[in-house]
Amino acid sequence: MNAQTPLASPIATASAPAAEQNILRERGQREVFCGLTGIVWLHRKIQDAFFLVVGSRTCAHLIQSAAGVMVFAEPRFATAIIDERDLAGLADANDELDRVVAKLIERRPDIRLLFLVGSCPSEVIKLDLSRAAARLSKVFSPGLRVLNYSGSGIETTFTQGEDACLASLVPELPAEAPGAAPSLLIAGALADVVEDQFTRLFAAMSIAPVRFLPARNSQDLPPVGPNTRLLLAQPFLAETARALENRGARRISAPFPLGAEGTTAWLQAAADQFDVDEETFDAATAAGRERAGRVLERHRPSLAGKSIFFFPDSQLEAPLARFLSRELSMRIVEVGAPYLHRQHLAAELSLLPAGTMLSEGQDVDRQLDRCRAAKPDLTVCGLGLANPLEAEGLRTKWSIELLFTPIQGYEQAGDLAELFARPLDRQNRLKA
Ligand code: SF4
């Protein structure tokens, strides 16, 4: 085994959820990235963490390509390559892993949190990374905490990597003090600029304390308990939410903070929990709402009436479809999602236009047939499908971009709309 670092470095709306009969359940071949991809945005967020993938050269190439646009002097992710000797059982993979980690920590003493990230190969050779993490934590404590999660999977989707990573942090969170005042915990990686904006908005409503998971600093672990109100910032955190709820946190049901309407409803759901009066809420949010509304108006002419088809990939599909249909008047052809979490998405599904076609899971060939037949103006899909569809004359948007770009909150509503307007504008310019 050797380490390979990268080359360069509840809303007021009370309508019923979308009818179950509108959901097409698919169980066929999938075209998705695995959970390792999440490392690309998580390593930027948790600034003193390091992600060591225990995997093959394929895993290393995936991470390098996904992160290829970023150049770091000191990257904070790498792959401990499981080679033929490890696979043939000729080497003790645990000894090899210990050696790689010792070398890494010697070279990078600034690392405070190390994630051992499991992959298909590490699971094939049944390498027990939870035991390895416990062993290494003992060796390197108190300066270094070692955790593990799995990023592998053909049956998963790429955002599940973040869910698994955050769920691995939950047992590390301290218990809140007995009788602690209610606190707000926002779960889901947000760009720092977005986190700062939300922090200011909550402060303007006198909601405190507000904490984030993950935090920028790995030592900054938010306490959790029965007085923790949990607000999800991302729709793909099923395991994390379950783990936090098992520790007593109470989830606030809300749409996700995409677009002006989504952001207002998300903030309102938190404000209601903390008894923020209407006047205070309006004063805190009016300027942001107005700015977001204005910038969205600028994008409306290029998007209104255009049709859009979502292949299942990021799990952001339902909130995006809600935003694009309600705030930009786009026509939704199909909303494909790898998995529809009925509870977490309840508020979103109730806001989709009546009769919206929802599909859960994937049978890629059948879905491609539906997409070709519909000829949507824009198709949101994974990298693997985008090129062939572009070659057939369909305009596409890579769903992974929606994870790499700050899109939540009022100030980002325009950038979010632009992500969808850009391919259509480019097409118009080419035609001209
Ligand atoms: Fe590695 Fe498996 Fe992901 Fe392929 S699908 S990159 S083998 S973890």
Side-chain angles (χ1 to χ4, degrees):
M1 201 182 283
N2 55 68
Q4 181 173 332
T5 50
L7 298 174
S9 298
I11 186 170
T13 308
S15 54
E20 284 284 311
Q21 62 266 31
N22 285 342
I23 301 176
L24 175 68
R25 290 183 183 81
E26 300 273 46
R27 295 286 177 271
Q29 192 191 327
R30 294 164 160 224
E31 285 282 338
V32 289
F33 276 154
C34 68
L36 295 187
T37 319
I39 293 170
V40 177
W41 63 87
L42 286 167
H43 89 280
R44 281 193 284 183
K45 180 70 202 176
I46 317 174
Q47 292 160 12
D48 55 355
F50 195 98
F51 294 78
L52 183 66
V53 178
V54 185
S56 64
R57 289 186 201 284
T58 307
C59 309
H61 288 150
L62 174 93
I63 300 292
Q64 285 181 21
S65 330
V69 288
M70 295 180 292
V71 178
F72 286 95
E74 282 284 24
R76 280 187 287 102
F77 54 91
T79 306
I81 305 282
I82 296 174
D83 57 27
E84 291 76 12
R85 270 165 44 83
D86 303 296
L87 285 170
L90 296 174
D92 184 330
N94 280 301
D95 288 348
E96 296 279 299
L97 182 59
D98 291 4
R99 192 180 56 75
V100 168
V101 170
K103 218 163 132 190
L104 173 70
I105 302 307
E106 187 188 312
R107 197 167 51 82
R108 303 287 302 273
D110 54 310
I111 298 169
R112 290 283 164 268
L113 174 62
L114 173 66
F115 289 103
L116 302 177
V117 189
S119 66
C120 304
S122 69
E123 286 175 10
V124 166
I125 64 166
K126 300 204 176 350
L127 188 54
D128 188 339
L129 289 183
S130 61
R131 283 181 63 179
R135 182 177 70 240
L136 288 162
S137 268
K138 251 188 219 159
V139 172
F140 293 101
S141 86
L144 176 75
R145 179 186 280 125
V146 186
L147 300 176
N148 76 289
Y149 71 90
S150 173
S152 83
I154 293 154
E155 290 298 311
T156 58
T157 190
F158 72 95
T159 46
Q160 277 177 264
E162 176 176 333
D163 189 21
C165 174
L166 301 193
S168 79
L169 278 168
V170 175
E172 304 297 309
L173 306 183
E176 68 186 11
S183 63
L184 182 63
L185 176 61
I186 314 288
L190 292 168
D192 290 351
V193 61
V194 177
E195 189 181 305
D196 291 342
Q197 289 163 12
F198 285 148
T199 301
R200 285 196 291 272
L201 285 165
F202 287 124
M205 290 183 249
S206 301
I207 295 178
V210 180
R211 302 182 178 104
F212 293 85
L213 181 75
R216 298 172 202 195
N217 184 322
S218 70
Q219 310 300 300
D220 197 2
L221 292 170
V224 64
N227 288 317
T228 304
R229 304 289 176 268
L230 167 65
L231 188 59
L232 297 178
Q234 300 285 9
F236 42 76
L237 298 177
E239 286 304 315
T240 306
R242 189 178 306 134
L244 287 166
E245 286 174 305
N246 285 343
R247 295 212 37 199
R250 286 177 22 207
R251 188 178 61 83
I252 303 171
S253 178
F256 292 89
L258 299 179
E261 180 190 45
T263 301
T264 302
W266 187 78
L267 292 167
Q268 180 77 64
D272 290 347
Q273 290 288 320
F274 286 81
D275 297 326
V276 176
D277 63 62
E278 203 180 317
E279 204 181 318
T280 305
F281 182 80
D282 283 345
T285 58
R289 276 197 319 237
E290 197 270 328
R291 277 195 300 274
R294 200 159 9 99
V295 76
L296 290 177
E297 275 311 309
R298 284 213 303 270
H299 291 288
R300 186 186 291 276
S302 51
L303 291 170
K306 296 285 192 302
S307 56
I308 187 161
F309 190 109
F310 288 88
F311 277 82
D313 205 33
S314 66
Q315 300 195 66
L316 283 164
E317 293 85 3
L320 288 170
R322 179 264 303 156
F323 162 66
L324 292 168
S325 63
R326 291 175 62 95
E327 297 198 60
L328 291 158
S329 306
M330 287 191 83
R331 198 161 51 79
I332 309 299
V333 180
E334 177 170 337
V335 183
Y339 173 63
L340 286 168
H341 194 298
R342 306 299 192 275
Q343 287 169 326
H344 292 185
L345 288 173
E348 293 288 357
L349 297 179
S350 71
L351 290 169
L352 285 174
T356 297
M357 161 81 166
L358 293 160
S359 60
E360 185 180 27
Q362 191 169 39
D363 186 324
V364 70
D365 288 328
R366 286 165 43 132
Q367 199 164 28
L368 279 167
D369 289 346
R370 293 198 297 275
C371 181
R372 287 175 182 131
K375 293 191 176 59
D377 293 302
L378 192 58
T379 302
V380 183
C381 58
L383 292 164
L385 293 178
N387 280 349
L389 289 176
E390 286 279 341
E392 292 176 30
L394 293 176
R395 296 288 74 84
T396 60
K397 166 58 51 195
W398 295 350
S399 49
I400 206 162
E401 265 189 79
L402 298 154
L403 272 300
F404 292 170
T405 314
I407 55 169
Q408 293 82 6
Y410 294 128
E411 312 307 329
Q412 282 63 239
D415 296 343
L416 178 57
E418 198 181 337
L419 284 175
F420 296 94
R422 219 182 288 144
L424 299 175
D425 289 347
R426 191 169 55 233
Q427 173 173 263
N428 289 340
R429 281 204 302 275
L430 284 171
K431 271 188 193 158

